[in-house]
Amino acid sequence: MHLGLPVFDTVAEAKAATQCDASVVYVPPAGAADAICEAIQAEIPLIIAITEGIPVADMVKVKRDLCGSKSRLIGPNCPGVMTAGECKIGIMPGNIFMPGKVGIVSRSGTLTYEAVQAMTDAGIGQSTCVGIGGDPIIGSTFLEVLQLFAADPETEAIVLIGEIGGAAEEEAAAWAATNLANVPKAAFIAGRTAPEGKRMGHAGAIISGGAGTAASKVAALEAAGFRVAGSPTELPQLLRDAGYRG
């Protein structure tokens, strides 16, 4: 279908012609890292990689190129970013969102949609929703997105949706304990029944050597003032319990 839009040979040409400030990557896994690096080299401020299954060795190169660059990467293996009522970059179903003041950061796309639908049904709107991705190596972490939410005047409450594997949720909780102490916060951790050494869904969702368990993440989040849900559908009430009145 002809959309009447220009087509460029390189990202650099697109940037020069349009002064674009965002790029979204749907390139298949074998070429996705090169596509991300091309956008980094073109100094695109925001790069969102939807692609799942990019080889870890390729993502190591991407992380190296990101160091000292002018770009922020969201993903890979993520649903993208949604600012309710304003902008969608990625694959989130925009019809379930409602403009509001709750920022959402999540490793899981489908759990995000479930949480958003529950909040919208409860009359709780969202500011920006960021899917950071479930791969072992990603561009932006929970901590970095929480820092962005803390600086955002449109975000007055926060929902974090994590899962087993790694220590990203614990790191974010440690920062939030001091820097988001007075912000209403709720969270959900997936994979509570996963056996050690068994990957559950995402490539990064694996418990190894007793680290990255759901119990350790729940404990860290609760210690930081998050109300932790047993199901994503409980998140709206937990935000209310935490004092959110938006």
Side-chain angles (χ1 to χ4, degrees):
M1 182 174 65
H2 180 64
L3 299 177
L5 299 174
V7 177
F8 302 96
D9 290 329
T10 67
V11 177
E13 288 180 11
K15 173 73 180 299
T18 67
Q19 294 304 303
C20 58
D21 56 12
S23 174
V24 58
V25 176
Y26 294 101
V27 176
D34 285 342
I36 296 170
C37 291
E38 185 181 357
I40 295 170
Q41 291 158 11
E43 299 185 345
I44 305 292
L46 177 64
I47 305 165
I48 296 172
I50 307 301
T51 309
E52 179 178 359
I54 300 176
V56 171
D58 289 358
M59 280 306 301
V60 170
K61 180 179 183 297
V62 170
K63 290 290 281 187
R64 184 173 65 245
D65 283 7
L66 281 170
C67 293
S69 76
K70 297 182 178 180
S71 300
R72 174 184 297 277
L73 173 64
I74 304 294
N77 189 11
C78 79
V81 175
M82 175 83 182
T83 296
E86 295 185 24
C87 178
K88 180 179 91 167
I89 305 178
I91 58 174
M92 294 190 193
N95 61 300
I96 67 174
F97 286 81
M98 179 174 75
K101 298 289 186 178
V102 179
I104 304 169
V105 57
S106 174
R107 274 212 251 176
S108 167
T110 50
L111 291 176
T112 300
Y113 312 152
E114 186 175 353
V116 168
Q117 185 69 72
M119 285 192 283
T120 296
D121 290 345
I124 298 177
Q126 307 87 41
S127 55
T128 295
C129 180
V130 181
I132 61 173
D135 279 359
I137 299 178
I138 56 175
S140 297
T141 65
F142 280 119
L143 172 57
E144 291 167 323
V145 176
L146 289 188
Q147 291 170 338
L148 293 173
F149 284 153
D152 177 22
E154 299 301 315
T155 297
E156 297 178 356
I158 289 171
V159 166
L160 183 151
I161 301 174
E163 62 189 17
I164 59 169
E169 290 86 350
E170 290 92 334
E171 292 168 358
W175 184 86
T178 300
N179 296 279
L180 298 174
N182 298 319
V183 176
K185 303 178 290 296
F188 172 73
I189 298 296
R192 295 193 184 204
T193 60
E196 183 175 331
K198 178 73 172 179
R199 182 170 71 84
M200 304 296 287
H202 290 148
I206 182 169
I207 301 169
S208 178
T213 65
S216 68
K217 295 177 186 295
V218 169
L221 289 164
E222 289 180 338
F226 284 82
R227 305 292 179 99
V228 181
S231 162
T233 58
E234 298 174 4
L235 290 167
Q237 185 57 53
L238 291 182
L239 281 176
R240 302 285 194 204
D241 293 345
Y244 182 64
R245 296 293 177 261

